Amino acid sequence: MKTNSLDFDAQALREKILDLAMRGKLVPQDPNDEPASVLLEKIKAEKAELIKEKKIKKTKPLPPITDDEKPFDIPDSWEWVRLGDAFEITSSKRVMKKEWRDTGIPFYRAREIVSIKENRPLKDPIFIDEKTYADKLKVSGKPEVNDILLTGVGTLGVPYIVPKDKKFYFKDGNIIWLKNFAQINASYISYYVQSPYMIKKINNGRGTTVATLTIVRSNNLLVPLPPLLEQSRNIYTTIRQTSDFAEV
């Protein structure tokens, strides 16, 4: 089959723009921005308060980031952070196949997330009834606006930003749930996990011993975190410069 060179060029351009954005080379840094180090301290304080209020669970501290782990240089106002230090990472509670229905509350697996991301109709969609939905939420809680779901099987790391007033539930182990309690720019994280470096990192070992994106792996992934205002500038410029932009 002959490859369309225009499609290839557009994809290559998109990958280059994403790579520049995640290295802090797409937009200039503003010395008036509050540095990411201050944002990290706020995240730590917010997380400690939520643990105290028993709204999230206390987890084992993640290992410090060594210089050898950092894959590339980032601006001085940015910080490397493990994904699990910026979000609470969890999943849903199990829904048995016998609880699936033909109508009701949408129930997403990884394949549905991929279809939504690609703006394709859902093939043979699954639902659960209101009672099952309510019972699961009592245990797991409800994904909130700007939380992020990542596919953990199949095509790994496909992001879905939870929209406003959307009722749905999702498959445990199939999808990873990033609770965005610190309100980091969800679009920035969505683009980051689609950058060439992260696609390669998330799929590292695929076809040998690693074929899933687990909670443990997600917690330990490294993220170059810009100041909040620069996160927004990065996203605006990425969207503007990317001709094959798709909703994130």
Side-chain angles (χ1 to χ4, degrees), residues 52-236:
K52 183 179 178 181
E53 295 173 357
K54 298 183 179 180
K55 292 182 178 179
I56 64 174
K57 294 180 180 179
K58 185 175 182 179
T59 56
K60 183 179 178 181
L62 296 171
I65 298 170
T66 65
D67 287 340
D68 289 341
E69 288 182 275
K70 300 173 183 177
F72 47 81
D73 293 332
I74 54 176
D76 291 340
S77 58
W78 292 34
E79 292 287 335
W80 282 106
V81 61
R82 295 198 188 279
L83 203 59
D85 283 329
F87 299 86
E88 184 192 13
I89 302 182
T90 183
S91 191
S92 61
K93 296 303 175 184
R94 180 162 296 181
V95 173
M96 307 301 291
K97 193 170 183 178
K98 64 182 180 181
E99 297 175 298
W100 294 1
R101 299 290 182 267
D102 294 328
T103 60
I105 306 299
F107 180 67
Y108 296 155
R109 298 159 294 176
R111 70 184 72 176
E112 279 78 37
I113 296 298
V114 173
S115 293
I116 292 170
K117 184 68 180 179
E118 296 177 352
N119 292 314
R120 291 189 285 108
L122 302 187
K123 184 179 179 181
D124 301 322
I126 296 170
F127 304 86
I128 57 176
D129 60 36
E130 287 279 358
K131 183 180 183 306
T132 301
Y133 176 68
D135 288 345
K136 300 302 177 183
L137 292 192
K138 288 178 183 177
V139 182
S140 67
K142 178 180 180 292
E144 302 292 342
V145 176
N146 287 326
D147 283 356
I148 304 165
L149 305 182
L150 298 176
T151 54
V153 297
T155 305
L156 303 183
V158 176
Y160 174 68
I161 299 174
V162 176
K164 184 179 180 181
D165 300 328
K166 176 71 173 178
K167 290 178 71 173
F168 69 94
Y169 205 63
F170 59 96
K171 185 172 175 58
D172 66 298
N174 215 246
I175 296 171
I176 305 300
W177 178 9
L178 276 58
K179 292 186 177 181
N180 195 3
F181 62 88
Q183 290 302 299
I184 291 171
N185 190 306
S187 292
Y188 171 79
I189 298 298
S190 177
Y191 269 117
Y192 175 66
V193 296
Q194 297 171 88
S195 68
Y197 167 76
M198 277 304 293
I199 289 174
K200 182 178 180 180
K201 186 70 174 177
I202 288 173
N203 285 278
N204 184 36
R206 186 170 174 80
T208 55
T209 59
V210 180
T212 59
L213 179 62
T214 63
I215 291 175
V216 172
R217 287 190 68 208
S218 300
N219 269 312
N220 282 283
L221 289 173
L222 296 189
V223 178
L225 190 66
L228 272 176
L229 290 177
E230 190 171 345
Q231 291 175 31
S232 297
R233 293 197 301 272
N234 248 323
I235 293 307
Y236 172 79

Side-chain angles (χ1 to χ4, degrees), residues 1-14 243-244:
M1 180 182 295
K2 187 176 180 180
T3 302
N4 188 319
S5 60
L6 290 178
D7 290 343
F8 178 81
D9 289 346
Q11 179 62 23
L13 174 62
R14 177 182 173 84
S243 59
D244 61 336

